Amino acid sequence: MTELESGSQELLRGHQLILVSNRGPYDFEVTEHGLERSRGSGGVVTVLGPVGRYARPVWVAAARSEGDRQLAAEQGREPIPVEEGDASFLLRFVGIPPSVYEGYYNVISNPLLWFLHHYMWDTPREPRIGPEEWDAWGMYVEANRAFARVVSEEVRRAERPIVLIQDYQLYLVAGELRREHPDLTIQFFLHTPFPSSDYLRVLPLDMRQALVSSVLSCDIAGFQTNRSAVNFLRAASSFLPDVRVDYDFGIVHHDGRQTAVRIYPVSIDPETVRELAHSPEAERELEFLAPYFCEQNIVRVDRIEPSKNIVRGFEAYSVLLERHPELKERVRFLAFLIPPRPGIPEYDRYQDEIMAAMGRINIQHGTSYWHPVQAFVGNEYVRALAAMRRYDVLLVNPVIDGMNVVSKEGVIVNERDGVLVLSEGAGSYEQLAPLPTSVSPADIEGTADALYTALTMPESERAELAARLRRKVEQEDTARWLDAQLRDIESLSVELS
Ligand code: G6P
């Protein structure tokens, strides 16, 4: 594992990191053998997990399951020490009544904010912000306050704390905290894209102002891409009075404070990902997958989620087989799909559309012994990593997305000099471009062409491209992501309390 820069190590020795995210590193389930722990799913946990190797952060997260709530009740206000390999955390749960969690998570965070951040609303019709949504907004405020109360307790007992708040579920935490801790170092980091001001106007002004001004009570606001950072600067000057934005230096002056707006593209720890991709479990998965691999394989790994653009990806593959029938029985599409967030009708509809698209392709292009598309639905991280060792093409074609860490994992574990077909909407595009196989996400023809280019690329060209991308991801790994943030915390001469 890459080491942190010495400046970062020193900073971490003298300060207590407090990570704050809705989902924590582990889910606890009540089973007949007692409480059982499993790895929390989702991108945020993948990205923050390695931080536990460099520091022993307090990690504040919502108690989401019955198991979490039980554990939280047993532990009271004492954080729970959790060790895993060489990572360790002090886990602190936030108790939120399930009825409040429902409005906070299932109405405001998803779908309202998630859909807004990914441009997914069909705006002539939706969203409709009526009494139910306003009630849920009250719950979002309440849940964020509950988080702020717990973080505040941790801040009071920590030595020189630095608070790192993650993502759109927790926009309001910083504002709450700042009232009590005027000198505390607070950073907010958004893992999703930040939308343009025109699109954000779909939210009522009160909501927009609350979100943006809370982020401005931080010392630093971090984003994945330049595009998101610029959108945020524009939102600050469009929606709040008495704000001065310095676009050259990425600084917002507001209420007598300064907020630095910075770009920190999240990454992975290549060594850890490689180890997992070669673990005994991964070898077993490869054996299981062996009968499904074809001469050449297009692979994708995504949660079932409209912003991932899975249906258009299948349609592009169908066009490819139409144009190049010689590829039939030689090129298969293996899709590793993680089940969608439950309880959101749009996701259920999208899942149906995916299954229908797959069915059409298998009927149109398949034979009795060859299925062009094979999907594996489940939360099987190691299986997906194992499969990515063998891709010839990795398709990552989101409409718009935060980072698409999978594009980095793929580049690191692949063993066939496979080619990445990457959408301009992917967060990783800013780092990994230019690519001979980049695509515009709605362009089905263009995506079919890119798949063909990738499948037929001369070996030397593929090897050169794969090596360049590998170097890039190795150089810009999680340690560098953390270094950049810690360096900024230090160099902004923020008053560390
Ligand atoms: C993805 C996104 C994160 C987001 C998370 C929420 O991983 O990249 O930005 O926080 O989803 O997922 P959840 O399942 O916890 O709602």
Side-chain angles (χ1 to χ4, degrees), residues 373-406:
V373 183
Q374 179 72 47
F376 301 85
V377 180
N379 197 356
E380 306 278 0
Y381 181 58
V382 177
R383 174 177 296 172
L385 280 184
M388 287 198 290
R389 284 170 57 183
R390 298 291 160 84
Y391 68 72
D392 298 280
V393 179
L394 179 66
L395 178 61
V396 184
N397 66 324
V399 179
I400 181 154
D401 212 351
M403 178 48 57
N404 308 100
V405 161
V406 70

Side-chain angles (χ1 to χ4, degrees), residues 274 391-392 407-420 432 434-437 457-474:
R274 262 191 211 115
Y391 68 72
D392 298 280
S407 55
K408 298 185 173 179
E409 290 168 330
V411 158
I412 288 298
V413 303
N414 186 256
E415 292 164 351
R416 289 170 67 88
D417 290 333
V419 180
L420 178 63
L432 303 182
L435 286 172
T437 47
M457 192 179 280
E459 224 173 288
S460 59
E461 210 178 306
R462 276 192 293 141
E464 203 178 303
L465 182 61
R468 175 174 75 75
L469 294 178
R470 234 180 352 256
R471 264 198 312 278
K472 183 85 182 158
V473 178
E474 274 163 359

Side-chain angles (χ1 to χ4, degrees), residues 86-383:
D86 50 355
S88 66
F89 305 98
L90 292 164
L91 184 55
R92 180 79 203 272
F93 281 121
V94 181
I96 299 169
S99 59
V100 173
Y101 194 86
E102 173 64 24
Y104 148 74
Y105 183 77
N106 279 333
V107 182
I108 300 299
S109 300
N110 312 291
L112 184 60
L113 294 179
W114 176 274
F115 277 36
L116 264 176
H117 286 61
H118 295 83
Y119 301 81
M120 275 160 58
W121 288 115
D122 172 15
T123 50
R125 293 171 195 84
E126 292 175 314
R128 301 170 63 84
I129 299 173
E132 202 190 307
E133 286 71 22
W134 276 107
D135 276 358
W137 173 253
M139 297 177 201
Y140 181 85
V141 175
E142 201 179 323
N144 273 252
R145 281 193 183 138
F147 263 94
R149 277 194 299 273
V150 173
V151 176
S152 194
E153 283 174 21
E154 292 303 323
V155 164
R156 273 189 232 107
R157 66 170 146 205
E159 247 181 69
R160 312 222 290 163
I162 297 174
V163 177
L164 305 178
I165 302 167
Q166 312 295 309
D167 241 359
Y168 58 93
Q169 302 93 341
L170 302 180
Y171 268 124
L172 304 183
V173 174
E176 293 289 330
L177 269 181
R178 183 56 81 208
R179 272 190 272 284
E180 264 192 66
H181 305 278
D183 299 326
L184 176 66
T185 303
I186 314 177
Q187 194 223 57
F188 175 79
F189 184 78
L190 187 68
H191 291 252
T192 66
F194 191 85
S196 75
S197 298
D198 281 344
Y199 197 73
L200 201 56
R201 274 201 184 82
V202 166
L203 272 190
L205 183 63
D206 286 359
M207 293 187 191
R208 257 181 282 155
Q209 287 187 324
L211 303 182
V212 176
S213 67
S214 175
V215 174
L216 290 182
S217 39
C218 296
D219 303 288
I220 302 176
F223 296 90
Q224 303 269 31
T225 61
N226 185 45
R227 199 166 42 182
S228 287
V230 170
N231 283 345
F232 180 79
L233 291 171
R234 295 232 166 86
S237 67
S238 311
F239 305 143
L240 293 175
D242 306 323
V243 155
R244 192 164 56 79
V245 174
D246 182 333
Y247 285 94
D248 291 335
F249 290 94
I251 302 275
V252 184
H253 303 266
H254 169 70
D255 259 356
R257 302 193 66 85
Q258 285 188 10
T259 303
V261 174
R262 296 287 175 265
I263 303 157
Y264 309 114
V266 299
S267 197
I268 56 167
D269 179 41
E271 239 175 82
T272 312
V273 171
R274 262 191 211 115
E275 262 170 38
L276 209 51
H278 289 87
S279 61
E281 188 186 345
E283 298 300 339
R284 280 195 296 278
E285 292 291 359
L286 273 185
E287 266 171 48
F288 162 78
L289 291 171
Y292 297 100
F293 287 125
C294 225
E295 201 177 307
Q296 284 190 296
N297 300 284
I298 302 171
V299 168
R300 82 171 304 139
V301 181
D302 280 307
R303 168 146 65 174
I304 294 179
E305 155 66 62
S307 61
K308 306 289 184 190
N309 211 16
I310 299 166
V311 173
R312 283 201 194 93
F314 284 150
E315 287 169 355
Y317 172 61
S318 182
V319 171
L320 172 79
L321 294 181
E322 250 164 61
R323 300 268 159 78
H324 302 281
E326 73 280 6
L327 298 182
K328 288 188 188 181
E329 299 183 8
R330 291 180 41 216
V331 177
R332 178 171 275 153
F333 195 137
L334 301 177
F336 296 84
L337 304 177
I338 299 151
R341 294 191 185 103
I344 301 180
E346 284 85 351
Y347 288 164
D348 298 337
R349 271 204 299 280
Y350 194 64
Q351 183 158 11
D352 293 345
E353 286 170 36
I354 291 174
M355 296 306 155
M358 270 173 45
R360 278 195 304 274
I361 296 173
N362 282 339
I363 288 170
Q364 190 184 343
H365 301 289
T367 60
S368 49
Y369 57 91
W370 187 70
H371 292 283
V373 183
Q374 179 72 47
F376 301 85
V377 180
N379 197 356
E380 306 278 0
Y381 181 58
V382 177
R383 174 177 296 172

